[in-house]
Amino acid sequence: MKIVTTLSEMRIERSLLPEPVGFVPTMGYLHAGHISLVKAARIDCASVVASIFVNPTQFGPNEDLARYPRDLPRDLALLEAARVDMLWSPTVEVMYPSGFQTWVEVEGLTRSLEGELRPGHFRGVTTVVAKLFNAVSPDKAYFGQKDAQQAAVVRRMVRDLDFPIEVVVCPIMREADGLAMSSRNVYLNPAERQAATVLFRALSAAKAAYESGERNAEKLRTLVREIVTAESLAKLQYISCADYDTLEELETVRAKALLSMAVLIGKTRLIDNFVVGL
Ligand code: PAF
């Protein structure tokens, strides 16, 4: 695997890659969810590029940028084993040189859910993803369904700014007890790790209710709220039952919808979602 850290080297190495090129952007501390994206890219594409860049502009002032988990040697071994051809691993100075003042922002889709609780987060995400796309010029880019709003926002950006890139969204990878895989799970102590299963339990109950015929979105939200509230270590930040593409809250589920939630378990913020009405 070629490791590239400067833009000039990136341009040369990229031009040598057999097409189509699949791209998996990450912030490192990789887990099976990231590797599932690499595997999907490996199946679809002649070349696979991954990136590791902990993007400071998507973290709020009180978020976990300084303590975000990092383990580059382990990440390199995982990417090698998954047969990634090239790793783009720029420094903060390469991505945000002094004087940087240009931002990419998707408007409506970023106002609710994560966007409401994390002001500026999606502006950081879309700016860095646009820059990563410009550096890598992939044919396809792979994102996880766990960050459902991020996937919707990136899809919108790609359409609105005419990036010639297909966005592929891959299923959530879960631990045996249902907890969605996330680099942030490492922050949980054993009691919190046990409590964290409440996200999966609550969403599963709502999905079962949907499958039994419940179409009232508020009833589905209430079911989730009740299950999360019963878990003493959990604090629900939001529960949403929204249209899959517009992310507007629904009264009645008639088509593809996204049941999504954010929960604080101790100090760790976890998100999860299920899609219904496929
Ligand atoms: O999902 C992530 O890991 C990040 O938000 C991304 C897409 C790599 C941008 O920094």
Side-chain angles (χ1 to χ4, degrees):
M1 179 174 70
K2 188 103 203 163
I3 302 175
V4 176
T5 56
T6 66
L7 267 171
S8 50
E9 202 189 353
M10 181 68 200
R11 298 227 154 95
I12 295 166
E13 293 299 333
R14 167 64 183 86
S15 68
L16 303 174
L17 287 177
E19 312 231 335
V21 172
F23 175 47
V24 180
T26 83
M27 297 206 299
Y29 209 71
L30 305 177
H31 51 69
H34 297 109
I35 300 306
S36 74
L37 305 182
V38 171
K39 283 186 182 153
R42 194 71 275 173
I43 290 169
D44 292 351
C45 302
S47 310
V48 178
V49 179
S51 65
I52 295 181
F53 179 65
V54 182
N55 174 34
T57 67
Q58 68 188 74
F59 289 79
N62 300 317
E63 293 185 357
D64 55 346
L65 173 62
R67 66 173 194 136
Y68 195 80
R70 294 163 208 239
D71 189 345
L72 191 58
R74 187 175 154 275
D75 288 348
L76 295 181
L78 287 170
L79 294 175
E80 285 272 13
R83 296 191 300 116
V84 166
D85 299 293
M86 194 198 295
L87 173 67
W88 172 224
S89 179
T91 60
V92 173
E93 291 70 32
V94 165
M95 292 302 272
Y96 298 109
S98 124
F100 185 90
Q101 50 187 293
T102 304
W103 300 95
V104 177
E105 189 157 13
V106 173
E107 294 186 338
L109 271 181
T110 62
R111 295 224 172 89
S112 61
L113 310 176
E114 292 298 293
E116 193 175 342
L117 286 171
R118 304 181 68 190
H121 169 68
F122 284 118
R123 183 176 90 142
V125 169
T126 41
T127 300
V128 83
V129 170
K131 285 176 67 76
L132 294 169
F133 282 178
N134 282 336
V136 177
S137 284
D139 298 287
K140 292 182 171 215
Y142 295 78
F143 291 83
Q145 171 64 23
K146 187 173 86 64
D147 294 299
Q149 189 174 15
Q150 168 172 283
V153 167
V154 169
R155 278 202 310 263
R156 186 74 262 166
M157 177 190 82
V158 161
R159 278 200 295 261
D160 290 352
L161 297 185
D162 308 318
F163 281 98
I165 297 171
E166 182 188 336
V167 174
V168 181
V169 181
C170 299
I172 298 177
M173 297 294 285
R174 297 183 180 279
E175 305 288 354
D177 61 5
L179 178 66
M181 289 187 184
S182 162
S183 305
R184 290 187 166 101
N185 291 349
V186 73
Y187 300 148
L188 301 166
N189 68 32
E192 291 169 346
R193 172 64 187 80
Q194 177 57 37
T197 59
V198 75
L199 285 87
F200 181 71
R201 283 187 279 117
L203 287 172
S204 302
K207 189 170 185 221
Y210 172 85
E211 279 163 5
S212 308
E214 184 59 78
R215 294 291 181 271
N216 181 309
E218 190 47 33
K219 286 203 176 139
L220 296 174
R221 287 187 282 261
T222 301
L223 187 55
V224 170
R225 210 174 280 125
E226 282 170 1
I227 294 172
V228 176
T229 311
E231 171 53 67
S232 60
L233 294 180
K235 187 164 170 265
L236 184 67
Q237 290 200 314
Y238 67 77
I239 166 68
S240 160
C241 179
D243 177 87
Y244 182 80
D245 289 310
T246 66
L247 301 182
E248 279 164 17
E249 289 303 317
L250 297 170
E251 281 182 19
T252 309
V253 182
R254 290 202 179 85
K256 196 172 168 185
L258 181 74
L259 273 167
S260 67
M261 67 199 296
V263 176
L264 276 173
I265 305 281
K267 289 200 175 100
T268 306
R269 189 167 183 280
L270 300 178
I271 58 173
D272 199 352
N273 67 80
F274 274 21
V275 178
V276 294
L278 285 170

mmCIF file of all heavy atoms in Angstrom, residues 87-103:
data_model
loop_
_atom_site.group_PDB
_atom_site.id
_atom_site.type_symbol
_atom_site.label_atom_id
_atom_site.label_comp_id
_atom_site.label_asym_id
_atom_site.label_seq_id
_atom_site.Cartn_x
_atom_site.Cartn_y
_atom_site.Cartn_z
ATOM 1 N N LEU A 87 -3.097 4.952 0.534
ATOM 2 C CA LEU A 87 -3.650 5.674 1.691
ATOM 3 C C LEU A 87 -3.297 7.149 1.542
ATOM 4 O O LEU A 87 -2.124 7.512 1.381
ATOM 5 C CB LEU A 87 -3.062 5.130 2.999
ATOM 6 C CG LEU A 87 -3.456 5.949 4.243
ATOM 7 C CD1 LEU A 87 -4.959 5.832 4.520
ATOM 8 C CD2 LEU A 87 -2.656 5.506 5.457
ATOM 9 N N TRP A 88 -4.325 7.997 1.608
ATOM 10 C CA TRP A 88 -4.135 9.450 1.597
ATOM 11 C C TRP A 88 -4.202 9.892 3.050
ATOM 12 O O TRP A 88 -5.241 9.762 3.700
ATOM 13 C CB TRP A 88 -5.222 10.072 0.733
ATOM 14 C CG TRP A 88 -5.363 11.562 0.691
ATOM 15 C CD1 TRP A 88 -6.539 12.240 0.759
ATOM 16 C CD2 TRP A 88 -4.340 12.544 0.513
ATOM 17 N NE1 TRP A 88 -6.299 13.583 0.646
ATOM 18 C CE2 TRP A 88 -4.951 13.804 0.501
ATOM 19 C CE3 TRP A 88 -2.946 12.492 0.387
ATOM 20 C CZ2 TRP A 88 -4.251 14.995 0.356
ATOM 21 C CZ3 TRP A 88 -2.245 13.674 0.236
ATOM 22 C CH2 TRP A 88 -2.894 14.896 0.211
ATOM 23 N N SER A 89 -3.078 10.372 3.551
ATOM 24 C CA SER A 89 -2.989 10.687 4.977
ATOM 25 C C SER A 89 -2.349 12.072 5.147
ATOM 26 O O SER A 89 -1.198 12.189 5.560
ATOM 27 C CB SER A 89 -2.168 9.576 5.648
ATOM 28 O OG SER A 89 -2.035 9.817 6.996
ATOM 29 N N PRO A 90 -3.106 13.105 4.794
ATOM 30 C CA PRO A 90 -2.523 14.456 4.830
ATOM 31 C C PRO A 90 -2.438 15.006 6.248
ATOM 32 O O PRO A 90 -3.142 14.537 7.142
ATOM 33 C CB PRO A 90 -3.526 15.271 3.995
ATOM 34 C CG PRO A 90 -4.832 14.572 4.209
ATOM 35 C CD PRO A 90 -4.521 13.112 4.401
ATOM 36 N N THR A 91 -1.608 16.003 6.453
ATOM 37 C CA THR A 91 -1.555 16.698 7.743
ATOM 38 C C THR A 91 -2.615 17.804 7.742
ATOM 39 O O THR A 91 -3.171 18.161 6.695
ATOM 40 C CB THR A 91 -0.185 17.359 7.951
ATOM 41 O OG1 THR A 91 -0.004 18.284 6.876
ATOM 42 C CG2 THR A 91 0.935 16.345 7.991
ATOM 43 N N VAL A 92 -2.847 18.370 8.919
ATOM 44 C CA VAL A 92 -3.793 19.490 9.030
ATOM 45 C C VAL A 92 -3.289 20.659 8.166
ATOM 46 O O VAL A 92 -4.076 21.334 7.505
ATOM 47 C CB VAL A 92 -3.948 19.915 10.513
ATOM 48 C CG1 VAL A 92 -4.795 21.179 10.633
ATOM 49 C CG2 VAL A 92 -4.586 18.792 11.311
ATOM 50 N N GLU A 93 -1.975 20.864 8.113
ATOM 51 C CA GLU A 93 -1.421 21.985 7.332
ATOM 52 C C GLU A 93 -1.663 21.788 5.832
ATOM 53 O O GLU A 93 -1.868 22.754 5.098
ATOM 54 C CB GLU A 93 0.092 22.127 7.587
ATOM 55 C CG GLU A 93 0.455 22.610 8.982
ATOM 56 C CD GLU A 93 0.188 21.575 10.081
ATOM 57 O OE1 GLU A 93 0.298 20.358 9.821
ATOM 58 O OE2 GLU A 93 -0.174 21.994 11.202
ATOM 59 N N VAL A 94 -1.633 20.540 5.375
ATOM 60 C CA VAL A 94 -1.906 20.280 3.947
ATOM 61 C C VAL A 94 -3.381 20.559 3.647
ATOM 62 O O VAL A 94 -3.724 21.185 2.643
ATOM 63 C CB VAL A 94 -1.526 18.825 3.567
ATOM 64 C CG1 VAL A 94 -2.120 18.422 2.219
ATOM 65 C CG2 VAL A 94 -0.017 18.661 3.549
ATOM 66 N N MET A 95 -4.270 20.138 4.546
ATOM 67 C CA MET A 95 -5.708 20.297 4.287
ATOM 68 C C MET A 95 -6.187 21.719 4.544
ATOM 69 O O MET A 95 -7.064 22.222 3.860
ATOM 70 C CB MET A 95 -6.516 19.314 5.151
ATOM 71 C CG MET A 95 -6.326 17.864 4.771
ATOM 72 S SD MET A 95 -6.755 17.540 3.044
ATOM 73 C CE MET A 95 -8.486 17.187 3.176
ATOM 74 N N TYR A 96 -5.624 22.356 5.579
ATOM 75 C CA TYR A 96 -6.060 23.712 5.947
ATOM 76 C C TYR A 96 -4.842 24.622 6.074
ATOM 77 O O TYR A 96 -4.438 24.984 7.186
ATOM 78 C CB TYR A 96 -6.840 23.677 7.272
ATOM 79 C CG TYR A 96 -8.105 22.841 7.201
ATOM 80 C CD1 TYR A 96 -8.193 21.615 7.854
ATOM 81 C CD2 TYR A 96 -9.208 23.275 6.461
ATOM 82 C CE1 TYR A 96 -9.349 20.842 7.789
ATOM 83 C CE2 TYR A 96 -10.360 22.512 6.392
ATOM 84 C CZ TYR A 96 -10.429 21.301 7.054
ATOM 85 O OH TYR A 96 -11.575 20.546 6.989
ATOM 86 N N PRO A 97 -4.242 24.993 4.921
ATOM 87 C CA PRO A 97 -3.058 25.850 5.007
ATOM 88 C C PRO A 97 -3.422 27.207 5.595
ATOM 89 O O PRO A 97 -4.589 27.610 5.568
ATOM 90 C CB PRO A 97 -2.594 25.972 3.553
ATOM 91 C CG PRO A 97 -3.712 25.484 2.725
ATOM 92 C CD PRO A 97 -4.615 24.647 3.551
ATOM 93 N N SER A 98 -2.440 27.892 6.091
ATOM 94 C CA SER A 98 -2.697 29.185 6.727
ATOM 95 C C SER A 98 -3.423 30.102 5.744
ATOM 96 O O SER A 98 -3.099 30.143 4.550
ATOM 97 C CB SER A 98 -1.355 29.733 7.220
ATOM 98 O OG SER A 98 -1.107 30.974 6.691
ATOM 99 N N GLY A 99 -4.435 30.814 6.207
ATOM 100 C CA GLY A 99 -5.227 31.692 5.341
ATOM 101 C C GLY A 99 -6.462 31.021 4.767
ATOM 102 O O GLY A 99 -7.263 31.653 4.085
ATOM 103 N N PHE A 100 -6.658 29.733 5.085
ATOM 104 C CA PHE A 100 -7.817 28.991 4.570
ATOM 105 C C PHE A 100 -9.121 29.699 4.954
ATOM 106 O O PHE A 100 -9.320 30.045 6.111
ATOM 107 C CB PHE A 100 -7.807 27.578 5.160
ATOM 108 C CG PHE A 100 -8.881 26.694 4.607
ATOM 109 C CD1 PHE A 100 -8.657 25.918 3.489
ATOM 110 C CD2 PHE A 100 -10.142 26.660 5.187
ATOM 111 C CE1 PHE A 100 -9.661 25.109 2.971
ATOM 112 C CE2 PHE A 100 -11.149 25.857 4.675
ATOM 113 C CZ PHE A 100 -10.902 25.084 3.559
ATOM 114 N N GLN A 101 -10.006 29.937 3.972
ATOM 115 C CA GLN A 101 -11.261 30.638 4.317
ATOM 116 C C GLN A 101 -12.433 30.271 3.396
ATOM 117 O O GLN A 101 -13.368 31.060 3.228
ATOM 118 C CB GLN A 101 -11.043 32.151 4.311
ATOM 119 C CG GLN A 101 -10.373 32.692 3.067
ATOM 120 C CD GLN A 101 -10.045 34.163 3.192
ATOM 121 O OE1 GLN A 101 -10.946 34.986 3.261
ATOM 122 N NE2 GLN A 101 -8.769 34.494 3.215
ATOM 123 N N THR A 102 -12.371 29.077 2.789
ATOM 124 C CA THR A 102 -13.438 28.678 1.874
ATOM 125 C C THR A 102 -14.161 27.449 2.434
ATOM 126 O O THR A 102 -13.515 26.475 2.824
ATOM 127 C CB THR A 102 -12.845 28.340 0.487
ATOM 128 O OG1 THR A 102 -12.113 29.470 0.043
ATOM 129 C CG2 THR A 102 -13.929 27.989 -0.514
ATOM 130 N N TRP A 103 -15.481 27.510 2.466
ATOM 131 C CA TRP A 103 -16.265 26.439 3.083
ATOM 132 C C TRP A 103 -17.334 25.927 2.130
ATOM 133 O O TRP A 103 -17.853 26.674 1.317
ATOM 134 C CB TRP A 103 -16.943 26.960 4.362
ATOM 135 C CG TRP A 103 -15.922 27.426 5.341
ATOM 136 C CD1 TRP A 103 -15.476 28.703 5.508
ATOM 137 C CD2 TRP A 103 -15.160 26.618 6.243
ATOM 138 N NE1 TRP A 103 -14.496 28.733 6.468
ATOM 139 C CE2 TRP A 103 -14.286 27.469 6.932
ATOM 140 C CE3 TRP A 103 -15.147 25.246 6.530
ATOM 141 C CZ2 TRP A 103 -13.395 27.001 7.898
ATOM 142 C CZ3 TRP A 103 -14.265 24.785 7.498
ATOM 143 C CH2 TRP A 103 -13.401 25.659 8.170
#
